[in-house]
Amino acid sequence: MTTHKLLFAPSMKEIALEEGRSVLDGAREVGVFIDSQCNGEGKCGKCKMRILEGATSPFTPEESEFIGQAERLQGYRLACMARMVGDLSVLIPEENVLSAEASKKIFSKRSAVINPAVKGYAVDLSDNGTDTQQAYFERITAYLESRHEMEGLAIDIEALQNLAPVMRQSTDGLTAYVWMDKEIVAVSPRSDERYFGLAIDVGTTTVALYLCDLEDGSVVASASTTNPQVLFGTDIMSRISYSSHHPNQGVKRMQKELIHSVNALVEQMASNKGLRASQILDVTVVGNTVMHHIFLGIAPDHLGLWPFSPSIQGSVNVKAREIGIEVCPSAYAHVLPVEAGFVGADNVAVLLSEEPYNLDEISLVVDLGTNGELVLGNRERLISCSCATGPALEGAHIACGMRATRGAIEKVRIDPETYEVDYAVVGTVGWASEHPSGELKPVGMCGSGIIDTVAQLFKTGLIGEDGAFRGNDKKTERLRKGRSGVLEFVLASKDGTATGDDIVLTQKDIRQIQLAKGALHGGCRTLMHHLGIETLPRMVIAGAFGMHIDKDNSLIMGLFPWCEPEKIAVVGNAAGHGAYLALVNKEKREEANRIARQVEHIELALEQGFQKEFVRALSIPYKKD
Amino acid sequence: MTTHKLLFAPSMKEIALEEGRSVLDGAREVGVFIDSQCNGEGKCGKCKMRILEGATSPFTPEESEFIGQAERLQGYRLACMARMVGDLSVLIPEENVLSAEASKKIFSKRSAVINPAVKGYAVDLSDNGTDTQQAYFERITAYLESRHEMEGLAIDIEALQNLAPVMRQSTDGLTAYVWMDKEIVAVSPRSDERYFGLAIDVGTTTVALYLCDLEDGSVVASASTTNPQVLFGTDIMSRISYSSHHPNQGVKRMQKELIHSVNALVEQMASNKGLRASQILDVTVVGNTVMHHIFLGIAPDHLGLWPFSPSIQGSVNVKAREIGIEVCPSAYAHVLPVEAGFVGADNVAVLLSEEPYNLDEISLVVDLGTNGELVLGNRERLISCSCATGPALEGAHIACGMRATRGAIEKVRIDPETYEVDYAVVGTVGWASEHPSGELKPVGMCGSGIIDTVAQLFKTGLIGEDGAFRGNDKKTERLRKGRSGVLEFVLASKDGTATGDDIVLTQKDIRQIQLAKGALHGGCRTLMHHLGIETLPRMVIAGAFGMHIDKDNSLIMGLFPWCEPEKIAVVGNAAGHGAYLALVNKEKREEANRIARQVEHIELALEQGFQKEFVRALSIPYKKD
């Protein structure tokens, strides 16, 4: 039987599957969780996914019940109906169930100053004093400049093309939308239309969007999706490599895929909220330096080479249409500044959100995504570095690892007497022990679950300070030799999981986590040495991953240096919040440029002390000499 | 036999032609001049033309000898080979034999100040003091801002995308091309590359291009072609009407055809001169207000309606790529300001070239194209108006009229005794009488030839002050009743013409010319009343048409008020020269905006005295009461 390669993004799991079998079959075999309530009969529509590359069997009538024309053109299919006819790459959309909750938390925390870069101004041309033979644009600017602090106003070409039709529709007034008091980006014959802005947080793995009302600053919708660039590699180094190996076209392709996803989400949010995408008049964008470059269509090749210089450090204003973002075509996208090659606009946004530069107390701000970015300091001085934590904390390269999406074990406790395991699963409430036995069917474990497990294994003595299983103690049958002869700890046995396989943490997994923690903890220590401090007065943990972690377990396993738990704040997607702040308050844009220039960047690889700190930090807990 | 409609642009002559016959056959029948040395055998390649709309017989092997792949894709064919299979519109390229000569004359007249908007700056990054970890853009701006008077430099997105590759190719230096000391529009790893600018004069009928070296201001090439918008109507009112009747798409279509022609000429000039179009880093554009709007993609519908307000009066800077001009994609196109609805950027450019605002003496500047635009004044005050001269002065709506291209009778003299006619023909040297009899085979007569004829007919008494032929006098057989019973004067009989038909001037033609002259002369008088002057101290005649006219004959027939012939300057395409000046000297752009605002515009239709002046000016010569 002919088999074809089937690749699942974003997990990048791969399987050789017989011709004619469905994508859902393949997902089940390789352990990729796809929801299917009708058991593959094309009746529930839950297994919707997107074809990234390759051909499949023809679109079926069943699918047209759940997939409209627009989605169909974008490659959407039901996994149970799409069958193998050749090599295939598919993207399984992740239901990021916690993102709404998480964003709510951080967005409600502080009230933002509302002073957007784009503002709507009523223009009343009924005034008898106005010379009606004067050109439209000059009449409008004369009105605006005499009433507001504006001078030398320009107008976007598309807005200019639209001026005469708007004048025709309006009897004596219109609304002019002005960007930065400099340029008219849109005109409308109405005076009562709401207008919006879009904050985009481009993560290596996840893209998050916040749609905001620019008049009152309220977030009217938010959404997130997998960054489809995972197809080209799960981490930034592989994206750089893809670009290098595909000169000119590589970056264009990655940019196009990203923008495509953004546009799909924008369209979805707009139609849910009953508004037009053309009412979105401003955009802000954050992301790490590689995402920043790819977003702007700049091949990031040089970011992988010494001295890791970005093409540009300061913020960039570019027309949305130049990038292909389908909002009002005259709108600008404001891309926030980066700090250095590996500390990007996302980190600047985290700082905008947390403002450690306005405090006397020294803060350590940790942003944990696919990379770990650290900033330590206060109003006097800020130093930053990037830690190569690797993807283990996001569940990648871990035997039963997965991202913190539905079905992931996110919290773990192990009874110190019986070694019995209890866990909480993303998408359900409470602990497994509070549900009827076997009701919670986990799919795998995410970073916080892994950290909990390691910490609890250490606490119960099942692993030592060196992270090695004490296999000879035979304390519990959960600790066993796995298929490949490596010791592993069973968290859930196959009769209680969604995949029909045991969920285990292996010795190899623990090593991966130790490397990640070594890099992170070592990075923190190196920054502390630079500022000459021994203990952390205050700590902020940002990033989706941080939302799930247990402070105590993290401190037990020494993920970062000791800090009083009540002085540790877990803030969620602060990068997205920073992008939002720059959207609703233009002053924040200047602040971002100032801060980005001010932060001192340290290249850990060049730091003499780092290697020693890294090795020390491999121990559980951190071993002080 | 099935016949199909065959339309010839730019003359807009039309014929019903049998299926299977060639375009060349049709041209000969309808009296459109197409050069053919091989008599339609596909061997000389002289009858190359472009299909605008409709299908024809397949491309033949003969044609591939003269038409390359690129031209073929653009619709080029040989008129002798393309046969009718359905309705067809074709564009007959005009060899504007005098344009090079004309532009040379005006460009050599004055030396321009060279201070272009785009300048190349060498950037040396070998300096040891430079922080190599700094972002590329910031390193370049730090260098430039410390050495030149620049601050807050920005960079175009495409130039930004190109930065890293340029840094890679260059060892320690590069050239940054900076627009208006504000924005880097291009970077090059070389230091010795020439860079260019393009001045575009968009006429209703003809588009003229000047390619200039931006370092020394020299014109390295110039070219002109028929504005393909003639397909949508020969005058501006019909272009407006085409736009109104085809909402949204009409203006896009006209813009696209125009830009297509510009790109074809640019490509041709660049390849002739061995340079790349991407070396063109700046563009200036002039044109009347309707051309200005269409160029910018603004539907000109409102320019046809009271109060004839343009969408914008001031100059517009727009990225060449936004308009589709295929030069360096980051280059700006600077579109000069307009004065009012019917006095456009072309008139501003004429003023930039002639500078009547720097003189104490009052000048009348007349720009004669498809429309007539007048400016009267000096450093104290400038007033302008637009005259609806109609297309008669360009030879349209005249029985044997044509534009001033090869084969047109451009000068005429009539012997007062014998009434014998002598003439000069565009593309040949000297008078017909100086050549062997019948050697000069004229095709038709252009505006200057028509004016000469009317003046000479008046001088010899063959027409009266009212313009009517004195048919009863029977002075010459050249004055006869034509086919439709209307009196006409024979300039050349059919055995001496290229068309095989007599070339005549009819009574109806004279009426057309009287109307044109009435509008023009009446407009001049109205402006003179406004300034309170009775005679013209000085006069400037600009425009391609003006190049051919005979001052004495024009004064005889009263085309404009009396002025000492030696105080009349005929300057050619001053609009193109103004576009050139704004290209090579950015100060001229400010000057243009100042002048455009300063010129007072008069709407002739609303002027009480105009109607009276118009009627008076119908007489030959002008009848003072």
Side-chain angles (χ1 to χ4, degrees), chain A residues 337-401:
Chain A
V338 303
E339 290 163 34
F342 284 104
V343 188
D346 50 353
N347 196 250
V348 174
V350 168
L351 296 180
L352 276 192
S353 174
E354 294 304 321
E355 300 183 13
Y357 46 79
N358 286 334
L359 299 178
D360 291 323
E361 196 174 36
I362 289 176
S363 313
L364 174 68
V365 181
V366 180
D367 187 18
L368 284 175
T370 308
N371 253 34
E373 277 137 29
L374 309 178
V375 179
L376 181 71
N378 60 0
R379 66 168 82 249
E380 304 290 328
R381 188 181 175 197
L382 289 172
I383 51 179
S384 76
C385 71
S386 172
C387 306
T389 51
L393 297 177
E394 289 195 314
H397 301 312
I398 298 290
C400 297

Side-chain angles (χ1 to χ4, degrees), chain A residues 406-425:
Chain A
R406 186 199 283 269
I409 293 176
E410 57 166 339
K411 288 179 197 295
V412 174
R413 55 188 181 203
I414 302 175
D415 188 295
E417 305 293 323
T418 64
Y419 304 108
E420 274 316 284
V421 175
D422 201 0
Y423 50 76
V425 172

Side-chain angles (χ1 to χ4, degrees), chain A residues 525-580:
Chain A
R525 288 276 165 192
T526 307
L527 291 187
M528 288 164 72
H529 287 315
H530 264 272
L531 278 200
I533 60 170
E534 280 294 312
T535 51
L536 289 176
R538 184 172 175 269
M539 191 168 158
V540 176
I541 301 174
F545 163 71
M547 288 299 293
H548 300 265
I549 70 165
D550 182 275
K551 291 179 203 173
D552 291 325
N553 281 331
S554 302
L555 290 170
I556 287 171
M557 79 162 278
L559 194 59
F560 26 72
W562 177 258
C563 180
E564 288 296 333
E566 62 269 29
K567 296 289 277 180
I568 301 178
V570 172
V571 296
N573 186 7
H577 185 241
Y580 160 80

Side-chain angles (χ1 to χ4, degrees), chain A residues 69-377:
Chain A
Q69 186 62 17
E71 281 193 327
R72 188 174 164 181
L73 288 174
Q74 288 163 20
Y76 283 93
R77 296 294 304 270
L78 294 186
C80 63
M81 291 289 127
R83 292 175 185 281
M84 302 300 287
V85 300
D87 289 351
L88 196 65
S89 299
V90 302
L91 178 68
I92 308 302
E94 293 189 346
E95 261 186 85
N96 218 332
V97 286
L98 288 185
S99 78
E101 194 182 299
S103 72
K104 232 177 253 163
K105 186 173 165 184
I106 191 163
F107 281 83
S108 59
K109 202 179 64 172
R110 276 183 289 266
S111 66
V113 175
I114 308 303
N115 180 21
V118 173
K119 287 176 194 150
Y121 294 92
V123 177
D124 179 4
L125 297 178
S126 63
D127 188 350
N128 287 326
T130 311
D131 170 9
T132 55
Q133 266 198 279
Q134 207 186 357
Y136 297 155
F137 170 70
E138 276 78 9
R139 285 174 70 189
I140 293 170
T141 50
Y143 183 94
L144 289 173
E145 293 181 0
S146 67
R147 280 162 184 83
H148 305 280
E149 282 199 17
M150 300 179 192
E151 213 191 308
L153 266 179
I155 184 166
D156 177 85
I157 181 73
E158 301 223 14
L160 178 60
Q161 290 167 351
N162 203 25
L163 250 189
V166 165
M167 294 289 284
R168 192 157 51 228
Q169 288 166 56
S170 119
T171 46
D172 51 10
L174 51 82
T175 307
Y177 298 93
V178 183
W179 176 79
M180 300 295 279
D181 295 339
K182 284 182 189 161
E183 180 182 324
I184 297 175
V185 291
V187 283
S188 161
R190 295 177 51 185
S191 59
D192 56 346
E193 204 160 59
R194 291 175 75 191
Y195 54 103
F196 301 89
L198 181 70
I200 307 179
D201 172 20
V202 185
T204 309
T205 316
T206 306
V207 182
L209 269 64
Y210 305 92
L211 183 64
C212 312
D213 184 310
L214 284 185
E215 272 183 300
D216 62 17
S218 63
V219 178
V220 298
S222 67
S224 76
T225 189
T226 301
N227 184 338
Q229 291 169 2
V230 294
L231 176 65
F232 311 104
T234 47
D235 55 41
I236 53 171
M237 287 313 297
S238 47
R239 309 276 167 88
I240 292 175
S241 154
Y242 181 81
S243 171
S244 309
H245 288 105
H246 301 81
N248 306 319
Q249 287 319 303
V251 65
K252 294 285 171 205
R253 174 90 201 275
M254 290 191 280
Q255 184 192 31
K256 200 180 130 200
E257 286 290 344
L258 171 64
I259 299 305
H260 170 94
S261 298
V262 167
N263 288 341
L265 281 189
V266 167
E267 197 191 307
Q268 197 179 308
M269 287 194 290
S271 91
N272 283 349
K273 295 288 160 186
L275 53 97
R276 287 166 288 108
S278 59
Q279 286 173 268
I280 300 173
L281 300 183
D282 200 14
V283 178
T284 54
V285 184
V286 303
N288 62 55
T289 310
V290 175
M291 293 304 106
H292 162 282
H293 276 46
I294 298 176
F295 179 87
L296 288 169
I298 305 169
D301 310 19
H302 53 299
L303 293 176
L305 302 167
W306 172 256
F308 314 114
S309 310
S311 281
I312 189 165
Q313 189 263 321
S315 60
V316 175
N317 292 311
V318 61
K319 289 281 172 183
R321 62 174 173 256
E322 298 269 14
I323 299 293
I325 302 177
E326 290 165 358
V327 294
C328 171
S330 325
Y332 277 98
H334 175 87
V335 183
L336 273 77
V338 303
E339 290 163 34
F342 284 104
V343 188
D346 50 353
N347 196 250
V348 174
V350 168
L351 296 180
L352 276 192
S353 174
E354 294 304 321
E355 300 183 13
Y357 46 79
N358 286 334
L359 299 178
D360 291 323
E361 196 174 36
I362 289 176
S363 313
L364 174 68
V365 181
V366 180
D367 187 18
L368 284 175
T370 308
N371 253 34
E373 277 137 29
L374 309 178
V375 179
L376 181 71

Side-chain angles (χ1 to χ4, degrees), chain B residues 187-222:
Chain B
V187 282
S188 160
R190 295 176 50 183
S191 59
D192 55 347
E193 205 159 57
R194 290 176 76 190
Y195 54 104
F196 302 89
L198 181 72
I200 307 178
D201 171 20
V202 185
T204 308
T205 316
T206 305
V207 183
L209 269 64
Y210 305 92
L211 182 63
C212 312
D213 183 308
L214 285 184
E215 273 183 299
D216 61 17
S218 61
V219 177
V220 297
S222 68

